[in-house]
């Protein structure tokens, strides 16, 4: 972790202390005071270029803030606004100017001109914070190529079909029916690239949530007395705790490796991100299950903090690709692209790619 990332994490932790998080599950609403503090501090556009209203920091710096927020159990639109929507708009030098945003992918979109206005039609499934965002930043696939478009979240031609995920956060479908586009530009970002970035972001979030689950479960097992001794003294509980600790450490290690790879080049880090998303998504279920097994019925109550983190593990493991989706991609790298499995595992240079003078990642349609 860089010095800046360490400072950002410490500053975020101080904000969480100043604006305590309500850990009841499911959440009834986001944490508005904490979110305002993040906005006022300029933390919501850290790795966005300065020309697009950002701070020009590294992705790893922004992920350090996410890690701290997730560890605290905060409910904010940090992922969708700061790490995805603001970044996507910034790639075409569009500043959000203080507006809250979320990101949506629209496949087979229709974009047409009408009286000097551009209108967009299509649909997006499973968009967090769609009902409360000021604007929707859209990556639309059209007949003429990918387009980044911005639509007023309360404008005409936009219908939000509201819903929530397991954490209680907004998670809605959107239908665009000739929605007026306030900004648009050809996209330098492909859907695969956005998906890869989203997978990395949720990998970090999953690892942070699992870390908190582990710490809370160890503390509970140590403090809870049954039959005259703490739960942690029972061999079966010790084995469960050890397995949880191993799974959580594996998740954290994978997240750090993927973050480090992405800090070098997000495109050539696709394999590391794919592996990390596989590990964190697969382990999330085991960590949550072990925690609830040890906590017993109390862990399922709305007032107990455990649910805030385990529902996050259950929800986020499918965001931006399941472990099965990413496993298929890694398998395709070996079976279809001819990448040597050892070089994929170790991260060493691929001699096949070197002999042809190309990067092994260049065979991926999502790489540029």
């Amino acid at each position: 972790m860089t010095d800046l990332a360490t400072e950002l994490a410490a500053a975020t932790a101080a904000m969480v202390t100043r604006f305590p998080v309500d850990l009841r599950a499911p959440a009834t609403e986001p944490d508005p005071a904490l979110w305002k503090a993040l906005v006022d501090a300029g933390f919501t556009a850290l790795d966005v270029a300065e020309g697009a209203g950002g701070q020009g920091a590294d992705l790893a710096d922004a992920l350090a803030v996410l890690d701290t927020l997730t560890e605290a159990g905060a409910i904010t639109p940090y992922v969708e606004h700061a790490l995805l929507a603001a970044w996507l708009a910034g790639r075409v030098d569009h500043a959000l100017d203080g507006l809250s945003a979320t990101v949506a992918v629209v496949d087979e979109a229709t974009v047409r001109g009408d009286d000097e206005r551009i209108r967009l039609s299509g649909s997006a499934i499973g968009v967090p914070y769609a009902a409360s965002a000021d604007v929707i930043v859209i990556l639309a696939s059209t007949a003429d190529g990918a387009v980044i478009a911005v639509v007023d979240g309360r404008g005409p031609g936009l219908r939000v079909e509201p819903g929530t995920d397991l954490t209680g956060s907004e998670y809605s479908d959107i239908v665009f029916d000739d929605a007026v586009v306030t900004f648009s530009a050809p996209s330098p970002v492909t859907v695969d690239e956005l998906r890869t970035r989203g997978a990395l972001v949720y990998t970090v979030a999953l690892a942070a949530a699992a870390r908190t689950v582990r710490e809370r479960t160890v503390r509970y097992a140590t403090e809870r007395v049954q039959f005259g001794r703490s739960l942690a003294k029972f061999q079966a509980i010790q084995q469960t705790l050890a397995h949880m600790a191993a799974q959580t450490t594996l998740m954290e290690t994978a997240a750090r490796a993927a973050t480090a790879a992405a800090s070098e080049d997000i495109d050539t880090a696709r394999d590391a991100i794919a592996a990390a998303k596989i590990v964190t998504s697969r382990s999330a279920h085991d960590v949550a299950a072990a925690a609830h097994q040890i906590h017993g019925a109390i862990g399922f109550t709305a007032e107990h903090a455990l649910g805030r983190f385990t529902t996050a593990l259950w929800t986020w493991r499918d965001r931006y690709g399941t472990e099965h989706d990413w496993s298929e991609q890694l398998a395709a790298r070996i079976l279809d692209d001819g990448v040597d499995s050892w070089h994929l595992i170790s991260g060493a240079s691929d001699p096949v790619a070197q002999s042809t003078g190309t990067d092994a990642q260049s065979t991926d349609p999502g790489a540029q």
Side-chain angles (χ1 to χ4, degrees):
M1 184 179 288
T2 65
D3 291 341
L4 177 58
T6 301
E7 293 175 3
L8 288 169
T12 304
M15 292 181 194
V16 171
T17 301
R18 184 179 178 187
F19 304 105
V21 175
D22 183 355
L23 292 177
R24 286 177 295 180
T28 56
E29 64 176 357
D31 298 297
L34 178 58
W35 177 246
K36 185 178 185 301
L38 291 167
V39 173
D40 292 343
F43 286 9
T44 55
L46 285 171
D47 72 324
V48 176
E50 294 182 14
Q55 309 300 320
D58 293 333
L59 173 58
D61 299 326
L63 291 175
V65 175
L66 171 64
D67 182 270
T68 305
L69 290 173
T70 305
E71 186 177 35
I75 298 292
T76 70
Y78 192 80
V79 167
E80 289 70 29
H81 175 97
L83 290 167
L84 298 177
W87 168 80
L88 187 61
R91 290 297 302 271
V92 287
D93 298 325
H94 179 70
L96 296 178
D97 295 327
L99 298 174
S100 64
T102 189
V103 65
V105 175
V106 178
D107 296 319
E108 300 180 357
T110 300
V111 178
R112 66 181 184 85
D114 179 20
D115 297 330
E116 298 183 354
R117 289 185 175 182
I118 299 175
R119 297 178 180 271
L120 182 143
S121 297
S123 62
I125 306 298
V127 180
Y129 300 101
S132 59
D134 294 326
V135 296
I136 315 295
V137 180
I138 303 161
L139 180 56
S141 299
T142 73
D144 298 322
V147 173
I148 294 175
V150 179
V151 171
D152 187 340
R154 298 167 184 81
L158 184 147
R159 184 174 78 252
V160 176
E161 300 175 353
T164 59
D165 60 21
L166 291 176
T167 68
S169 301
E170 293 179 33
Y171 195 66
S172 310
D173 298 338
I174 308 177
V175 176
F176 302 94
D177 186 6
D178 277 348
V180 176
V181 174
T182 58
F183 171 87
S184 67
S187 176
V189 179
T190 67
V191 172
D192 281 346
E193 288 171 331
L194 177 61
R195 178 172 175 264
T196 301
R197 183 181 175 93
L200 171 61
V201 167
Y202 277 105
T203 288
V204 172
L206 283 166
R211 181 170 63 248
T212 300
V213 169
R214 177 192 63 200
E215 292 172 354
R216 286 181 173 274
T217 303
V218 169
R219 183 164 62 249
Y220 177 80
T222 303
E223 296 173 351
R224 179 74 167 92
V225 175
Q226 190 72 28
F227 302 114
R229 53 179 175 166
S230 68
L231 291 179
K233 297 293 185 179
F234 291 88
Q235 185 175 12
I237 299 296
Q238 292 173 352
Q239 291 174 339
T240 302
L241 289 173
H243 180 69
M244 176 193 290
Q247 294 292 96
T248 305
T249 301
L250 187 62
M251 294 170 73
E252 293 177 299
T253 302
R256 285 196 297 269
T259 299
S263 296
E264 297 295 329
D265 188 337
I266 190 67
D267 293 328
T268 57
R270 286 177 61 86
D271 292 339
I273 294 172
K277 190 59 165 68
I278 292 168
V279 168
T280 52
S281 290
R282 180 175 295 168
S283 300
H285 172 77
D286 291 344
V287 171
H292 279 291
Q293 182 180 24
I294 292 175
H295 277 82
I298 193 174
F300 286 97
T301 60
E303 293 77 12
H304 199 282
L306 182 66
R308 171 61 58 87
F309 302 96
T310 54
T311 54
L313 290 175
W314 292 327
T315 300
W316 296 341
R317 62 184 302 215
D318 292 342
R319 294 277 170 90
Y320 287 89
T322 67
E323 64 265 37
H324 301 294
D325 297 330
W326 288 105
S327 294
E328 288 179 356
Q329 176 168 306
L330 281 184
R333 295 275 290 128
I334 297 170
L335 300 177
D336 299 336
D337 297 344
V339 175
D340 184 273
S341 57
W342 172 247
H343 292 91
L344 190 64
I345 293 170
S346 65
S349 299
D350 184 7
V352 174
Q354 289 181 341
S355 65
T356 59
T358 60
D359 188 333
Q361 287 288 348
S362 65
T363 58
D364 192 310
Q368 288 188 347

